[in-house]
Amino acid sequence: MVHKYVASAPGKVNLHLGVGEARADGYHELVSVFHAVDRRERVTLIASDTMTDGPIVRSMSTTFFVDTPDEDIDGPGNLAWRAVDAVATRAGVALPEVRIEVDKHVFVAGGMAGGSADAAAALVAANALVADYGTPLDDDTLLALAASLGADVPFSLMGGTALGTGRGDELVAMLSRGRLHWVFVNPKVGIPTGKAFSLLDDMRHNNATLVPHLNTQALSQALTTGDATRVAAAMHNDLEGPALAMRPQLARLLDVAADAGLRAMVSGSGPTVAVLCDSLEHAQWVADHLAEHFDGYEVFVAEGPDQGAVVENVF
Ligand code: C5P
């Protein structure tokens, strides 16, 4: 009998990304407003008949519904693989060996936390497996494992709209009204997250006017009104400067997207550009417009807030 555990987790955009001091652990203090969108990663665990006490992942494969990256991402270093083995090790019971299948709908290295969503979906799928053989991990333990895998993984687990401080992993849910409609555009040039942060440090070192934006009051007020125009006006990303410096071609995309939508901004560390629109119809029009102007760029429509990681099916 084959047992499959299917879970999903959302991609995200930062409505606000304020980057503070560099810390001794290589991370930066953040004030971030995360917003989960309904473009979701799907992770399936396929259990074998072989039981084991140790790490349980034997293989993995990713199917790409977005551009395939140059390098092979299926291996023990993949966050989904590490997430499943972390849950299995912590559970401390004999479990079946598994194969992981990832359906990737969020751009790779795009600033939308696709890898973190894979990890979050893998955590809840693995916990559903554990529940069939012993006591599942409680929510706090799962959250601690998430934080140990990466700064964005706790938010991928939680979903919704949330304020993140510390490394971005100390989260509190934010009030928001209504739905926000988005277009996401991938200009197909990856930006390594760590490089965006270190370039911001260098730019600030040379330019005293580049101060951290840590105040989210206007944005949180805008979110409670549900007025997309006000949200658009209050969005901010300290990493947009470094992303533009590394990938100058983003400037034209941001210009054209800003003319078409309510606001265009780099998502997280980039290079994905997020365009806030005022309705689904507007978003569909903006998506078509951008696809016409930027031949070969990937474009999709999504809306938020969306729920965090959930188990969708066990069979
Ligand atoms: O946690 P994650 O592996 O996603 O972070 C990737 C890199 O981004 C880190 O190694 C660090 O260089 C940078 N980062 C940071 N401050 C944060 C989050 C990430 O400097 N709060």
Side-chain angles (χ1 to χ4, degrees), residues 35 179-183 228 275-281 283 301-304:
H35 178 74
R179 313 282 298 157
L180 295 176
H181 297 275
W182 299 93
V183 175
V275 193
L276 183 56
C277 302
D278 62 16
S279 66
L280 176 59
E281 294 69 34
V301 166
E303 64 181 77

Side-chain angles (χ1 to χ4, degrees), residues 106-167:
V106 178
F107 304 136
V108 180
M112 289 188 70
S116 300
D118 297 344
L123 284 172
V124 300
N127 212 26
L129 170 76
V130 169
D132 274 351
Y133 294 85
T135 311
L137 306 181
D138 59 36
D139 288 352
D140 286 349
T141 307
L142 223 48
L143 200 59
L145 288 182
S148 74
L149 290 164
D152 285 346
V153 185
F155 177 72
S156 305
L157 206 52
M158 175 179 175
T161 302
L163 179 69
T165 53
R167 295 186 314 159

Side-chain angles (χ1 to χ4, degrees), residues 45-172:
L45 304 187
I46 302 163
S48 75
D49 294 331
T50 311
M51 300 293 286
T52 181
D53 284 324
I56 60 169
V57 184
R58 285 295 158 261
S59 63
M60 79 173 284
S61 72
T62 302
T63 304
F64 291 92
F65 295 83
V66 285
D67 247 18
T68 310
D70 293 336
E71 77 280 19
D72 181 8
I73 64 167
D74 295 326
N78 187 294
L79 275 185
W81 185 308
R82 289 171 49 203
V84 172
D85 276 343
V87 171
T89 306
R90 179 60 70 90
V93 288
L95 294 167
E97 293 183 350
V98 300
R99 166 180 177 72
I100 305 175
E101 290 181 355
V102 177
D103 287 347
K104 184 156 265 306
H105 296 271
V106 178
F107 304 136
V108 180
M112 289 188 70
S116 300
D118 297 344
L123 284 172
V124 300
N127 212 26
L129 170 76
V130 169
D132 274 351
Y133 294 85
T135 311
L137 306 181
D138 59 36
D139 288 352
D140 286 349
T141 307
L142 223 48
L143 200 59
L145 288 182
S148 74
L149 290 164
D152 285 346
V153 185
F155 177 72
S156 305
L157 206 52
M158 175 179 175
T161 302
L163 179 69
T165 53
R167 295 186 314 159
D169 54 359
E170 291 162 27
L171 296 167
V172 55

Side-chain angles (χ1 to χ4, degrees), residues 21 94 148 174 199:
E21 296 286 303
S148 74
M174 289 176 75
L199 180 56

Side-chain angles (χ1 to χ4, degrees), residues 44 153 191 225 281-282:
T44 303
V153 185
I191 293 183
T225 67
E281 294 69 34
H282 183 207

